[in-house]
Amino acid sequence: MDIDRIKNSIRNVPDFPKPGIQFKDITTLLQDKDAFGEAIEAFYSAFKDKEIDVIVGIESRGFIFAAPLALRMGCRFVLARKPGKLPSETIAEEYALEYGTDAIEMHIDAINKGDKVLIVDDLLATGGTAKATGSVVQKLQGEILSYAFLIILKGLNGDELLKPIPVFNILDY
Ligand code: AMP
């Protein structure tokens, strides 16, 4: 596994979308098909021996990794979306932002009781988005086996917020 290839393909953009944020831009990884493939294989080798029924991808960059991983694993792929995007009946969980709140929604028929679930996103920062996604999965009576992120920003302690559910990551900063 070529972790350096993955790491070197990610572009750091300082002060986006606001001063002080070091934005990890994965669009450059997506343009390097070998790096993108390495990232999917890194997720696959971490979870190939686990019994997983459903991979949940978090809007929107989570979809990019979750969908090919679900095909590779041979399991279902489910979308966790921002409010008002999913057309059928949904269930939601709100979470706090720096200013105000946001929410994550999923279709109520997306997860069956007892499904073993892996939740995927590109990056873990404070953990609010991932935690809200996990709460929706739990409301639907899915069992979360793990979270998986391409990148975690360690200083923000998002993995603490997600405890006791395991957190897998390929890169950290
Ligand atoms: P959080 O809820 O704080 O863990 O934020 C995670 C979400 O925000 C993920 O969906 C990321 O795509 C995005 N995000 C937060 N911080 C960054 C960053 N520094 N670079 C890129 N994406 C970020």
PDB file of all heavy atoms in Angstrom, residues 16 21-25 58-61 95 121-130 153, ligand 1:
ATOM      1  N   PHE A  16      -9.039  28.418   3.811  1.00  0.00           N
ATOM      2  CA  PHE A  16     -10.281  28.138   3.088  1.00  0.00           C
ATOM      3  C   PHE A  16     -11.144  27.222   3.960  1.00  0.00           C
ATOM      4  O   PHE A  16     -10.638  26.250   4.493  1.00  0.00           O
ATOM      5  CB  PHE A  16     -10.000  27.432   1.751  1.00  0.00           C
ATOM      6  CG  PHE A  16     -11.267  27.164   0.967  1.00  0.00           C
ATOM      7  CD1 PHE A  16     -11.776  28.113   0.092  1.00  0.00           C
ATOM      8  CD2 PHE A  16     -11.968  25.966   1.139  1.00  0.00           C
ATOM      9  CE1 PHE A  16     -12.957  27.867  -0.600  1.00  0.00           C
ATOM     10  CE2 PHE A  16     -13.162  25.736   0.459  1.00  0.00           C
ATOM     11  CZ  PHE A  16     -13.648  26.686  -0.412  1.00  0.00           C
ATOM     12  N   ILE A  21      -8.307  28.047   8.695  1.00  0.00           N
ATOM     13  CA  ILE A  21      -8.615  26.650   8.335  1.00  0.00           C
ATOM     14  C   ILE A  21      -7.603  26.160   7.299  1.00  0.00           C
ATOM     15  O   ILE A  21      -7.345  26.832   6.303  1.00  0.00           O
ATOM     16  CB  ILE A  21     -10.050  26.511   7.745  1.00  0.00           C
ATOM     17  CG1 ILE A  21     -11.110  27.074   8.696  1.00  0.00           C
ATOM     18  CG2 ILE A  21     -10.333  25.054   7.347  1.00  0.00           C
ATOM     19  CD1 ILE A  21     -11.431  26.221   9.891  1.00  0.00           C
ATOM     20  N   GLN A  22      -7.038  24.975   7.584  1.00  0.00           N
ATOM     21  CA  GLN A  22      -6.162  24.312   6.607  1.00  0.00           C
ATOM     22  C   GLN A  22      -7.031  23.296   5.879  1.00  0.00           C
ATOM     23  O   GLN A  22      -7.288  22.203   6.401  1.00  0.00           O
ATOM     24  CB  GLN A  22      -5.005  23.599   7.324  1.00  0.00           C
ATOM     25  CG  GLN A  22      -4.131  24.505   8.156  1.00  0.00           C
ATOM     26  CD  GLN A  22      -3.283  25.420   7.291  1.00  0.00           C
ATOM     27  OE1 GLN A  22      -2.882  25.060   6.177  1.00  0.00           O
ATOM     28  NE2 GLN A  22      -3.024  26.618   7.779  1.00  0.00           N
ATOM     29  N   PHE A  23      -7.527  23.640   4.719  1.00  0.00           N
ATOM     30  CA  PHE A  23      -8.485  22.778   4.024  1.00  0.00           C
ATOM     31  C   PHE A  23      -7.740  21.672   3.291  1.00  0.00           C
ATOM     32  O   PHE A  23      -6.825  21.922   2.503  1.00  0.00           O
ATOM     33  CB  PHE A  23      -9.320  23.596   3.028  1.00  0.00           C
ATOM     34  CG  PHE A  23     -10.517  22.841   2.520  1.00  0.00           C
ATOM     35  CD1 PHE A  23     -11.706  22.839   3.234  1.00  0.00           C
ATOM     36  CD2 PHE A  23     -10.442  22.108   1.334  1.00  0.00           C
ATOM     37  CE1 PHE A  23     -12.809  22.124   2.773  1.00  0.00           C
ATOM     38  CE2 PHE A  23     -11.542  21.395   0.875  1.00  0.00           C
ATOM     39  CZ  PHE A  23     -12.722  21.400   1.595  1.00  0.00           C
ATOM     40  N   LYS A  24      -8.143  20.421   3.542  1.00  0.00           N
ATOM     41  CA  LYS A  24      -7.538  19.265   2.872  1.00  0.00           C
ATOM     42  C   LYS A  24      -8.352  18.983   1.610  1.00  0.00           C
ATOM     43  O   LYS A  24      -9.470  18.466   1.687  1.00  0.00           O
ATOM     44  CB  LYS A  24      -7.537  18.039   3.794  1.00  0.00           C
ATOM     45  CG  LYS A  24      -6.830  18.272   5.118  1.00  0.00           C
ATOM     46  CD  LYS A  24      -5.356  18.612   4.920  1.00  0.00           C
ATOM     47  CE  LYS A  24      -4.675  18.928   6.233  1.00  0.00           C
ATOM     48  NZ  LYS A  24      -3.517  19.796   6.093  1.00  0.00           N
ATOM     49  N   ASP A  25      -7.758  19.328   0.484  1.00  0.00           N
ATOM     50  CA  ASP A  25      -8.453  19.265  -0.802  1.00  0.00           C
ATOM     51  C   ASP A  25      -8.179  17.919  -1.467  1.00  0.00           C
ATOM     52  O   ASP A  25      -7.054  17.636  -1.886  1.00  0.00           O
ATOM     53  CB  ASP A  25      -7.940  20.418  -1.672  1.00  0.00           C
ATOM     54  CG  ASP A  25      -8.548  20.408  -3.057  1.00  0.00           C
ATOM     55  OD1 ASP A  25      -9.579  19.739  -3.264  1.00  0.00           O
ATOM     56  OD2 ASP A  25      -7.985  21.084  -3.944  1.00  0.00           O
ATOM     57  N   ILE A  58     -21.228   9.888   3.905  1.00  0.00           N
ATOM     58  CA  ILE A  58     -21.709  11.190   4.394  1.00  0.00           C
ATOM     59  C   ILE A  58     -21.525  12.244   3.302  1.00  0.00           C
ATOM     60  O   ILE A  58     -20.429  12.385   2.735  1.00  0.00           O
ATOM     61  CB  ILE A  58     -20.955  11.618   5.668  1.00  0.00           C
ATOM     62  CG1 ILE A  58     -21.098  10.546   6.775  1.00  0.00           C
ATOM     63  CG2 ILE A  58     -21.449  12.976   6.144  1.00  0.00           C
ATOM     64  CD1 ILE A  58     -20.355  10.861   8.066  1.00  0.00           C
ATOM     65  N   GLU A  59     -22.612  13.009   3.042  1.00  0.00           N
ATOM     66  CA  GLU A  59     -22.576  14.065   2.020  1.00  0.00           C
ATOM     67  C   GLU A  59     -21.454  15.061   2.296  1.00  0.00           C
ATOM     68  O   GLU A  59     -21.295  15.482   3.433  1.00  0.00           O
ATOM     69  CB  GLU A  59     -23.917  14.804   2.007  1.00  0.00           C
ATOM     70  CG  GLU A  59     -23.970  15.889   0.972  1.00  0.00           C
ATOM     71  CD  GLU A  59     -25.396  16.401   0.718  1.00  0.00           C
ATOM     72  OE1 GLU A  59     -26.361  15.862   1.278  1.00  0.00           O
ATOM     73  OE2 GLU A  59     -25.494  17.347  -0.075  1.00  0.00           O
ATOM     74  N   SER A  60     -20.755  15.495   1.266  1.00  0.00           N
ATOM     75  CA  SER A  60     -20.809  14.937  -0.066  1.00  0.00           C
ATOM     76  C   SER A  60     -19.538  14.193  -0.433  1.00  0.00           C
ATOM     77  O   SER A  60     -19.555  13.257  -1.219  1.00  0.00           O
ATOM     78  CB  SER A  60     -21.048  16.056  -1.083  1.00  0.00           C
ATOM     79  OG  SER A  60     -19.995  17.014  -0.993  1.00  0.00           O
ATOM     80  N   ARG A  61     -18.409  14.591   0.175  1.00  0.00           N
ATOM     81  CA  ARG A  61     -17.168  13.916  -0.244  1.00  0.00           C
ATOM     82  C   ARG A  61     -17.101  12.486   0.275  1.00  0.00           C
ATOM     83  O   ARG A  61     -16.376  11.652  -0.277  1.00  0.00           O
ATOM     84  CB  ARG A  61     -15.954  14.742   0.180  1.00  0.00           C
ATOM     85  CG  ARG A  61     -15.795  15.995  -0.676  1.00  0.00           C
ATOM     86  CD  ARG A  61     -14.544  16.768  -0.292  1.00  0.00           C
ATOM     87  NE  ARG A  61     -14.615  17.298   1.043  1.00  0.00           N
ATOM     88  CZ  ARG A  61     -15.148  18.486   1.368  1.00  0.00           C
ATOM     89  NH1 ARG A  61     -15.621  19.263   0.435  1.00  0.00           N
ATOM     90  NH2 ARG A  61     -15.182  18.891   2.618  1.00  0.00           N
ATOM     91  N   TYR A  95     -27.052  18.623  14.615  1.00  0.00           N
ATOM     92  CA  TYR A  95     -25.786  18.782  15.332  1.00  0.00           C
ATOM     93  C   TYR A  95     -25.362  20.240  15.297  1.00  0.00           C
ATOM     94  O   TYR A  95     -25.793  21.003  14.439  1.00  0.00           O
ATOM     95  CB  TYR A  95     -24.702  17.857  14.769  1.00  0.00           C
ATOM     96  CG  TYR A  95     -24.357  18.062  13.318  1.00  0.00           C
ATOM     97  CD1 TYR A  95     -23.233  18.791  12.937  1.00  0.00           C
ATOM     98  CD2 TYR A  95     -25.147  17.518  12.304  1.00  0.00           C
ATOM     99  CE1 TYR A  95     -22.905  18.970  11.608  1.00  0.00           C
ATOM    100  CE2 TYR A  95     -24.835  17.695  10.971  1.00  0.00           C
ATOM    101  CZ  TYR A  95     -23.711  18.420  10.630  1.00  0.00           C
ATOM    102  OH  TYR A  95     -23.400  18.594   9.301  1.00  0.00           O
ATOM    103  N   ASP A 121     -16.471   8.868   5.639  1.00  0.00           N
ATOM    104  CA  ASP A 121     -16.390  10.253   5.168  1.00  0.00           C
ATOM    105  C   ASP A 121     -14.942  10.535   4.783  1.00  0.00           C
ATOM    106  O   ASP A 121     -14.044   9.751   5.096  1.00  0.00           O
ATOM    107  CB  ASP A 121     -16.876  11.227   6.252  1.00  0.00           C
ATOM    108  CG  ASP A 121     -17.330  12.572   5.660  1.00  0.00           C
ATOM    109  OD1 ASP A 121     -17.240  12.767   4.422  1.00  0.00           O
ATOM    110  OD2 ASP A 121     -17.778  13.428   6.438  1.00  0.00           O
ATOM    111  N   ASP A 122     -14.743  11.665   4.098  1.00  0.00           N
ATOM    112  CA  ASP A 122     -13.368  11.981   3.690  1.00  0.00           C
ATOM    113  C   ASP A 122     -12.514  12.401   4.879  1.00  0.00           C
ATOM    114  O   ASP A 122     -11.346  12.043   4.956  1.00  0.00           O
ATOM    115  CB  ASP A 122     -13.337  13.055   2.572  1.00  0.00           C
ATOM    116  CG  ASP A 122     -13.824  14.421   3.035  1.00  0.00           C
ATOM    117  OD1 ASP A 122     -14.715  14.489   3.915  1.00  0.00           O
ATOM    118  OD2 ASP A 122     -13.325  15.437   2.517  1.00  0.00           O
ATOM    119  N   LEU A 123     -13.130  13.147   5.816  1.00  0.00           N
ATOM    120  CA  LEU A 123     -12.305  13.780   6.858  1.00  0.00           C
ATOM    121  C   LEU A 123     -13.068  13.893   8.169  1.00  0.00           C
ATOM    122  O   LEU A 123     -14.243  14.250   8.168  1.00  0.00           O
ATOM    123  CB  LEU A 123     -11.891  15.164   6.350  1.00  0.00           C
ATOM    124  CG  LEU A 123     -10.966  15.996   7.225  1.00  0.00           C
ATOM    125  CD1 LEU A 123      -9.966  16.759   6.366  1.00  0.00           C
ATOM    126  CD2 LEU A 123     -11.750  16.952   8.104  1.00  0.00           C
ATOM    127  N   LEU A 124     -12.377  13.589   9.268  1.00  0.00           N
ATOM    128  CA  LEU A 124     -12.934  13.786  10.614  1.00  0.00           C
ATOM    129  C   LEU A 124     -12.276  15.014  11.224  1.00  0.00           C
ATOM    130  O   LEU A 124     -11.056  15.045  11.381  1.00  0.00           O
ATOM    131  CB  LEU A 124     -12.658  12.556  11.485  1.00  0.00           C
ATOM    132  CG  LEU A 124     -13.122  12.649  12.935  1.00  0.00           C
ATOM    133  CD1 LEU A 124     -14.638  12.620  13.039  1.00  0.00           C
ATOM    134  CD2 LEU A 124     -12.525  11.523  13.778  1.00  0.00           C
ATOM    135  N   ALA A 125     -13.112  16.011  11.562  1.00  0.00           N
ATOM    136  CA  ALA A 125     -12.595  17.204  12.249  1.00  0.00           C
ATOM    137  C   ALA A 125     -13.106  17.165  13.689  1.00  0.00           C
ATOM    138  O   ALA A 125     -12.581  16.399  14.496  1.00  0.00           O
ATOM    139  CB  ALA A 125     -12.996  18.461  11.486  1.00  0.00           C
ATOM    140  N   THR A 126     -14.168  17.910  14.017  1.00  0.00           N
ATOM    141  CA  THR A 126     -14.679  17.874  15.399  1.00  0.00           C
ATOM    142  C   THR A 126     -15.499  16.620  15.690  1.00  0.00           C
ATOM    143  O   THR A 126     -15.753  16.284  16.838  1.00  0.00           O
ATOM    144  CB  THR A 126     -15.589  19.084  15.675  1.00  0.00           C
ATOM    145  OG1 THR A 126     -16.745  18.979  14.835  1.00  0.00           O
ATOM    146  CG2 THR A 126     -14.869  20.393  15.400  1.00  0.00           C
ATOM    147  N   GLY A 127     -15.992  15.972  14.617  1.00  0.00           N
ATOM    148  CA  GLY A 127     -16.766  14.750  14.786  1.00  0.00           C
ATOM    149  C   GLY A 127     -18.272  14.958  14.809  1.00  0.00           C
ATOM    150  O   GLY A 127     -19.025  13.985  14.834  1.00  0.00           O
ATOM    151  N   GLY A 128     -18.722  16.200  14.766  1.00  0.00           N
ATOM    152  CA  GLY A 128     -20.168  16.468  14.855  1.00  0.00           C
ATOM    153  C   GLY A 128     -20.971  15.818  13.739  1.00  0.00           C
ATOM    154  O   GLY A 128     -22.036  15.230  13.989  1.00  0.00           O
ATOM    155  N   THR A 129     -20.455  15.902  12.534  1.00  0.00           N
ATOM    156  CA  THR A 129     -21.175  15.338  11.378  1.00  0.00           C
ATOM    157  C   THR A 129     -21.257  13.818  11.485  1.00  0.00           C
ATOM    158  O   THR A 129     -22.314  13.217  11.263  1.00  0.00           O
ATOM    159  CB  THR A 129     -20.429  15.709  10.067  1.00  0.00           C
ATOM    160  OG1 THR A 129     -20.014  17.067  10.119  1.00  0.00           O
ATOM    161  CG2 THR A 129     -21.295  15.469   8.859  1.00  0.00           C
ATOM    162  N   ALA A 130     -20.119  13.206  11.824  1.00  0.00           N
ATOM    163  CA  ALA A 130     -20.081  11.746  11.914  1.00  0.00           C
ATOM    164  C   ALA A 130     -20.947  11.237  13.067  1.00  0.00           C
ATOM    165  O   ALA A 130     -21.657  10.228  12.942  1.00  0.00           O
ATOM    166  CB  ALA A 130     -18.635  11.284  12.089  1.00  0.00           C
ATOM    167  N   LEU A 153      -8.091  14.904  11.537  1.00  0.00           N
ATOM    168  CA  LEU A 153      -7.339  16.038  12.094  1.00  0.00           C
ATOM    169  C   LEU A 153      -7.268  15.789  13.594  1.00  0.00           C
ATOM    170  O   LEU A 153      -8.261  15.921  14.312  1.00  0.00           O
ATOM    171  CB  LEU A 153      -8.054  17.361  11.787  1.00  0.00           C
ATOM    172  CG  LEU A 153      -8.289  17.667  10.303  1.00  0.00           C
ATOM    173  CD1 LEU A 153      -8.953  19.032  10.145  1.00  0.00           C
ATOM    174  CD2 LEU A 153      -6.995  17.607   9.497  1.00  0.00           C
TER     175      LEU A 153
HETATM  176  P1  AMP B   1     -16.715  17.786  11.603  1.00  0.00           P
HETATM  177  O1  AMP B   1     -18.196  17.594  11.726  1.00  0.00           O
HETATM  178  O2  AMP B   1     -16.202  18.966  12.340  1.00  0.00           O
HETATM  179  O3  AMP B   1     -15.959  16.503  11.937  1.00  0.00           O
HETATM  180  O4  AMP B   1     -16.418  18.141  10.071  1.00  0.00           O
HETATM  181  C1  AMP B   1     -16.313  17.133   9.135  1.00  0.00           C
HETATM  182  C2  AMP B   1     -16.851  17.539   7.796  1.00  0.00           C
HETATM  183  O5  AMP B   1     -16.394  18.832   7.393  1.00  0.00           O
HETATM  184  C3  AMP B   1     -16.371  16.544   6.772  1.00  0.00           C
HETATM  185  O6  AMP B   1     -17.475  16.175   5.956  1.00  0.00           O
HETATM  186  C4  AMP B   1     -15.294  17.268   5.997  1.00  0.00           C
HETATM  187  O7  AMP B   1     -15.459  17.043   4.624  1.00  0.00           O
HETATM  188  C5  AMP B   1     -15.455  18.747   6.330  1.00  0.00           C
HETATM  189  N1  AMP B   1     -14.205  19.375   6.817  1.00  0.00           N
HETATM  190  C6  AMP B   1     -14.003  19.876   8.056  1.00  0.00           C
HETATM  191  N2  AMP B   1     -12.775  20.389   8.193  1.00  0.00           N
HETATM  192  C7  AMP B   1     -12.162  20.214   7.000  1.00  0.00           C
HETATM  193  C8  AMP B   1     -10.837  20.519   6.497  1.00  0.00           C
HETATM  194  N3  AMP B   1      -9.892  21.114   7.247  1.00  0.00           N
HETATM  195  N4  AMP B   1     -10.549  20.170   5.224  1.00  0.00           N
HETATM  196  C9  AMP B   1     -11.482  19.564   4.459  1.00  0.00           C
HETATM  197  N5  AMP B   1     -12.734  19.256   4.869  1.00  0.00           N
HETATM  198  C10 AMP B   1     -13.070  19.572   6.122  1.00  0.00           C
END
